[in-house]
Amino acid sequence: MKWTDVATQLFGNGHEIRADGEFLSGSATFDGQAIAVVGSTNHAPIGYALALRQAKVVLETIDLHPGRAIFLLIDTQGQQLRRHDELLGINRAMAHLGCCIDLARRRGHRVIGLVYDQALSGGFITSGLIADACDALPEAEIRVMRIPAMARVTKLSEDVLTALSASNPVFAPGVQNYLRMGGVRALWQADLKAGLRDALTHAATDDRRAIDGRERGGRLLAAAVVEQVLAA
Amino acid sequence: MSSTLPDRVSYAECSARERIARLFDAGSFREWLPPAMRVMSPHLAQLGVPAAFDDGVAIGEARLAERRVFVGAQEGEFMGGGVGEVHGAKLVGLFKRALRDRPDAVLLLAESGGVRLHEANAGLIAVSEVMRALLDTRAAGIPVIVLIGGANGCFGGMGIVARCADHLVISDIGRLAMSGPEVIEASHGVEEFDSRDRALVWRTTGGKHRFLVGDCDQLVEDDVQVFRAAAVRALDALRPLTLQSLQDEHAVLTQRLHAGEGAEDAVDLWQSLGIAHAGAVPDMNAEQVRTLRQESLA
């Protein structure tokens, strides 16, 4: 789905979310409350500069609008794969974005991420994956890498990986697999407003993903291992 | 252990457990979920890939200069230190336990290529869980210190995790970055990043660069005892995350973005940032590079 359609369905035509290239930012009103919006579009690669632009919105929201909810619109092909970004320290810029979102949560801002098109690994590990909730549209795509590339790296055939991915959500792309593993909290069905309302109301402020993964049968060991460490 | 240790032991050449044994007070390490418990990856066998009895990471508590610390050490020899479901959960457990038991610090001996692709989805979620657990620990006032000096460097999601810590120590042969040079070359060609040009790789991702621009707090030689001394110095290195500190960080990173405009190479960036003798840095040793650091960048 296009971000403009998501925005219109959620906020009507009165929202003030604007695209500047691949960067999205602005504000809107939802259920009578102001909400800050930040994100990306056109499968943006998240580089050093784009991570900083997103962080700036989060910092300004904390500074100027204490407690205002923050909504992350996620569409990314992953981190920018350029030497210049590595030279500048893209990992530090990503960490900075993650620390800003983390601070917002600690200061009482609800932070909700929505994968509305596609999300890959480094592109959302310090945005949606560090929010109170990372939700997704059912038709969105979430993955670390495609099966052909995974086959090259792991030296396993695509047939083997495709077969395994049917029985084990660890291997294959897909929002359903992320849902089963707890990485995605919930999928928003036709009524997007109901999805956002549910996220703002019910998303936990602590990290429940390992527990969700166990309860949903997609990631059975993570929570158990944490418990074992605490008991050791 | 024998008392006839050689004068200098390379940190890079040590295994994760050798690093623990030599870095912390002698005999003080008590491991949780040790190899004998065989808490292993449930996914690798399906792929016909050998598993490790510790899933490539050792965690536990130890003493450092008689202070009580928690430790996590990644084993680069096992799948490049890649983070899978169990490996990541052990690190999450380490930080959650720190939150409960309040040691003087948590030390992460990081060596990792990031997410273990054989467990791609679970690894990605696990790395983000490590970040949140680490930041919970910091928010409770317990410093998190990261040491980087393994042959596999600290890349991908672990490169981000490292930058979420209070204090970073790196050796001149250590590397800290996001995407590896091979990945960038595969994506955008050898003209973008020649992964076989070792000098270029180290200028772009290596310890001297990361120290000079302020991404790491201490630059050390590749010597376990030097790492130990650096870790002891870092024990009280609290760097609270506040709105002010993140605004300051934002200003530093914004300044760097502008300083880097037009910079083709690390040397250009160093010059632009006002670092003296930038052209000579690649030939300097760690001690010489330490004198160049502009404290204002840290």
Side-chain angles (χ1 to χ4, degrees), chain B residues 242-270:
Chain B
T242 63
L243 178 58
Q244 183 63 54
S245 74
L246 288 175
Q247 286 171 333
D248 293 345
E249 170 79 353
H250 200 85
V252 168
L253 297 185
T254 303
Q255 182 205 358
R256 187 187 300 183
L257 178 68
H258 298 312
E261 281 167 15
E264 277 293 308
D265 190 278
V267 176
D268 304 326
L269 180 62
W270 300 333

Short mmCIF file of all heavy atoms in Angstrom, two decimals, chain B residues 242-270:
data_model
loop_
_atom_site.label_atom_id
_atom_site.label_comp_id
_atom_site.label_asym_id
_atom_site.label_seq_id
_atom_site.Cartn_x
_atom_site.Cartn_y
_atom_site.Cartn_z
N THR B 242 20.31 10.95 27.93
CA THR B 242 19.29 11.93 28.27
C THR B 242 18.96 12.71 27.01
O THR B 242 19.66 12.57 26.00
CB THR B 242 19.83 12.92 29.32
OG1 THR B 242 20.94 13.62 28.73
CG2 THR B 242 20.30 12.19 30.57
N LEU B 243 17.93 13.52 27.08
CA LEU B 243 17.61 14.35 25.92
C LEU B 243 18.82 15.21 25.55
O LEU B 243 19.19 15.32 24.38
CB LEU B 243 16.39 15.22 26.21
CG LEU B 243 15.98 16.18 25.08
CD1 LEU B 243 15.68 15.42 23.79
CD2 LEU B 243 14.77 17.02 25.50
N GLN B 244 19.46 15.79 26.57
CA GLN B 244 20.62 16.64 26.30
C GLN B 244 21.76 15.85 25.65
O GLN B 244 22.36 16.28 24.67
CB GLN B 244 21.11 17.30 27.60
CG GLN B 244 22.27 18.27 27.39
CD GLN B 244 21.87 19.44 26.51
OE1 GLN B 244 20.89 20.13 26.80
NE2 GLN B 244 22.59 19.67 25.42
N SER B 245 22.06 14.66 26.20
CA SER B 245 23.20 13.91 25.64
C SER B 245 22.90 13.45 24.22
O SER B 245 23.79 13.39 23.37
CB SER B 245 23.56 12.72 26.55
OG SER B 245 22.61 11.68 26.45
N LEU B 246 21.63 13.13 23.93
CA LEU B 246 21.30 12.71 22.56
C LEU B 246 21.26 13.90 21.61
O LEU B 246 21.59 13.77 20.43
CB LEU B 246 19.98 11.94 22.55
CG LEU B 246 20.08 10.53 23.16
CD1 LEU B 246 18.71 9.86 23.22
CD2 LEU B 246 21.05 9.65 22.39
N GLN B 247 20.90 15.07 22.11
CA GLN B 247 20.99 16.28 21.28
C GLN B 247 22.45 16.60 20.97
O GLN B 247 22.79 16.99 19.85
CB GLN B 247 20.32 17.46 21.98
CG GLN B 247 18.78 17.37 21.95
CD GLN B 247 18.10 18.42 22.83
OE1 GLN B 247 18.68 18.88 23.82
NE2 GLN B 247 16.87 18.77 22.49
N ASP B 248 23.32 16.39 21.97
CA ASP B 248 24.75 16.61 21.74
C ASP B 248 25.28 15.61 20.70
O ASP B 248 26.06 15.96 19.81
CB ASP B 248 25.53 16.45 23.05
CG ASP B 248 25.21 17.55 24.06
OD1 ASP B 248 24.61 18.57 23.65
OD2 ASP B 248 25.55 17.38 25.25
N GLU B 249 24.87 14.35 20.86
CA GLU B 249 25.28 13.32 19.90
C GLU B 249 24.80 13.69 18.50
O GLU B 249 25.53 13.54 17.51
CB GLU B 249 24.69 11.97 20.33
CG GLU B 249 24.81 10.83 19.31
CD GLU B 249 26.19 10.18 19.28
OE1 GLU B 249 27.09 10.70 19.95
OE2 GLU B 249 26.35 9.17 18.57
N HIS B 250 23.58 14.19 18.43
CA HIS B 250 23.03 14.57 17.12
C HIS B 250 23.87 15.68 16.48
O HIS B 250 24.13 15.66 15.27
CB HIS B 250 21.57 15.01 17.26
CG HIS B 250 20.82 14.94 15.97
ND1 HIS B 250 20.23 13.80 15.52
CD2 HIS B 250 20.63 15.87 15.00
CE1 HIS B 250 19.68 14.02 14.34
NE2 HIS B 250 19.91 15.27 14.00
N ALA B 251 24.31 16.61 17.29
CA ALA B 251 25.13 17.71 16.77
C ALA B 251 26.47 17.19 16.25
O ALA B 251 26.95 17.61 15.19
CB ALA B 251 25.34 18.76 17.86
N VAL B 252 27.07 16.26 16.99
CA VAL B 252 28.34 15.67 16.56
C VAL B 252 28.18 14.95 15.22
O VAL B 252 28.99 15.11 14.31
CB VAL B 252 28.87 14.69 17.64
CG1 VAL B 252 30.02 13.85 17.09
CG2 VAL B 252 29.32 15.45 18.89
N LEU B 253 27.10 14.16 15.12
CA LEU B 253 26.90 13.37 13.90
C LEU B 253 26.53 14.26 12.72
O LEU B 253 26.89 13.97 11.58
CB LEU B 253 25.83 12.30 14.14
CG LEU B 253 26.18 11.25 15.20
CD1 LEU B 253 25.12 10.17 15.27
CD2 LEU B 253 27.54 10.63 14.94
N THR B 254 25.82 15.36 12.99
CA THR B 254 25.47 16.29 11.92
C THR B 254 26.72 17.01 11.42
O THR B 254 26.93 17.18 10.22
CB THR B 254 24.43 17.31 12.42
OG1 THR B 254 23.29 16.59 12.90
CG2 THR B 254 24.00 18.25 11.30
N GLN B 255 27.57 17.41 12.36
CA GLN B 255 28.84 18.05 11.98
C GLN B 255 29.66 17.11 11.10
O GLN B 255 30.26 17.51 10.11
CB GLN B 255 29.62 18.42 13.25
CG GLN B 255 30.93 19.13 12.95
CD GLN B 255 31.95 18.96 14.08
OE1 GLN B 255 31.68 18.34 15.10
NE2 GLN B 255 33.13 19.52 13.88
N ARG B 256 29.66 15.83 11.47
CA ARG B 256 30.43 14.86 10.70
C ARG B 256 29.85 14.68 9.29
O ARG B 256 30.59 14.52 8.32
CB ARG B 256 30.46 13.52 11.42
CG ARG B 256 31.40 12.53 10.74
CD ARG B 256 31.32 11.15 11.32
NE ARG B 256 31.66 11.13 12.73
CZ ARG B 256 31.72 10.01 13.45
NH1 ARG B 256 31.45 8.85 12.88
NH2 ARG B 256 32.02 10.05 14.73
N LEU B 257 28.52 14.70 9.19
CA LEU B 257 27.89 14.57 7.87
C LEU B 257 28.40 15.67 6.94
O LEU B 257 28.74 15.42 5.79
CB LEU B 257 26.37 14.65 8.03
CG LEU B 257 25.55 14.57 6.74
CD1 LEU B 257 25.66 13.18 6.12
CD2 LEU B 257 24.08 14.90 7.02
N HIS B 258 28.47 16.90 7.47
CA HIS B 258 28.93 18.01 6.65
C HIS B 258 30.43 17.92 6.39
O HIS B 258 30.90 18.19 5.29
CB HIS B 258 28.57 19.34 7.31
CG HIS B 258 27.08 19.52 7.47
ND1 HIS B 258 26.20 19.29 6.44
CD2 HIS B 258 26.31 19.86 8.53
CE1 HIS B 258 24.96 19.49 6.86
NE2 HIS B 258 25.00 19.85 8.13
N ALA B 259 31.18 17.53 7.40
CA ALA B 259 32.63 17.39 7.22
C ALA B 259 32.95 16.33 6.17
O ALA B 259 33.97 16.39 5.49
CB ALA B 259 33.29 17.03 8.56
N GLY B 260 32.06 15.35 6.05
CA GLY B 260 32.31 14.25 5.12
C GLY B 260 31.88 14.51 3.70
O GLY B 260 32.14 13.69 2.82
N GLU B 261 31.22 15.66 3.47
CA GLU B 261 30.79 15.96 2.10
C GLU B 261 32.01 16.08 1.20
O GLU B 261 32.93 16.84 1.46
CB GLU B 261 29.97 17.26 2.07
CG GLU B 261 28.55 17.06 2.54
CD GLU B 261 27.83 18.38 2.81
OE1 GLU B 261 28.33 19.44 2.38
OE2 GLU B 261 26.77 18.34 3.46
N GLY B 262 32.03 15.29 0.15
CA GLY B 262 33.16 15.32 -0.76
C GLY B 262 34.36 14.50 -0.32
O GLY B 262 35.33 14.40 -1.05
N ALA B 263 34.29 13.93 0.88
CA ALA B 263 35.42 13.12 1.36
C ALA B 263 35.39 11.77 0.65
O ALA B 263 34.44 11.01 0.79
CB ALA B 263 35.33 12.94 2.87
N GLU B 264 36.42 11.50 -0.13
CA GLU B 264 36.50 10.24 -0.86
C GLU B 264 37.05 9.14 0.03
O GLU B 264 36.76 7.96 -0.16
CB GLU B 264 37.42 10.42 -2.07
CG GLU B 264 36.75 11.03 -3.28
CD GLU B 264 35.69 10.10 -3.86
OE1 GLU B 264 36.02 8.93 -4.12
OE2 GLU B 264 34.54 10.54 -4.02
N ASP B 265 37.86 9.53 0.97
CA ASP B 265 38.63 8.57 1.74
C ASP B 265 38.69 9.04 3.19
O ASP B 265 38.43 10.20 3.49
CB ASP B 265 40.06 8.53 1.15
CG ASP B 265 40.88 7.38 1.72
OD1 ASP B 265 41.44 7.54 2.83
OD2 ASP B 265 40.97 6.34 1.05
N ALA B 266 39.06 8.10 4.06
CA ALA B 266 39.17 8.45 5.48
C ALA B 266 40.12 9.63 5.69
O ALA B 266 39.87 10.49 6.53
CB ALA B 266 39.64 7.23 6.27
N VAL B 267 41.21 9.67 4.93
CA VAL B 267 42.19 10.75 5.12
C VAL B 267 41.53 12.11 4.88
O VAL B 267 41.76 13.07 5.62
CB VAL B 267 43.40 10.54 4.19
CG1 VAL B 267 44.37 11.72 4.31
CG2 VAL B 267 44.12 9.24 4.53
N ASP B 268 40.66 12.17 3.86
CA ASP B 268 39.94 13.43 3.60
C ASP B 268 39.06 13.81 4.79
O ASP B 268 38.98 14.98 5.17
CB ASP B 268 39.05 13.28 2.35
CG ASP B 268 39.82 12.85 1.13
OD1 ASP B 268 40.99 13.26 1.01
OD2 ASP B 268 39.26 12.12 0.30
N LEU B 269 38.37 12.82 5.34
CA LEU B 269 37.48 13.09 6.46
C LEU B 269 38.28 13.55 7.68
O LEU B 269 37.90 14.51 8.36
CB LEU B 269 36.66 11.84 6.80
CG LEU B 269 35.67 11.98 7.96
CD1 LEU B 269 34.61 13.04 7.67
CD2 LEU B 269 34.99 10.65 8.27
N TRP B 270 39.39 12.87 7.94
CA TRP B 270 40.22 13.27 9.09
C TRP B 270 40.70 14.71 8.92
O TRP B 270 40.66 15.50 9.86
CB TRP B 270 41.44 12.34 9.24
CG TRP B 270 41.08 10.90 9.46
CD1 TRP B 270 39.94 10.41 10.01
CD2 TRP B 270 41.87 9.75 9.09
NE1 TRP B 270 39.97 9.03 10.02
CE2 TRP B 270 41.14 8.60 9.47
CE3 TRP B 270 43.12 9.59 8.48
CZ2 TRP B 270 41.62 7.31 9.25
CZ3 TRP B 270 43.60 8.30 8.28
CH2 TRP B 270 42.86 7.17 8.66
#
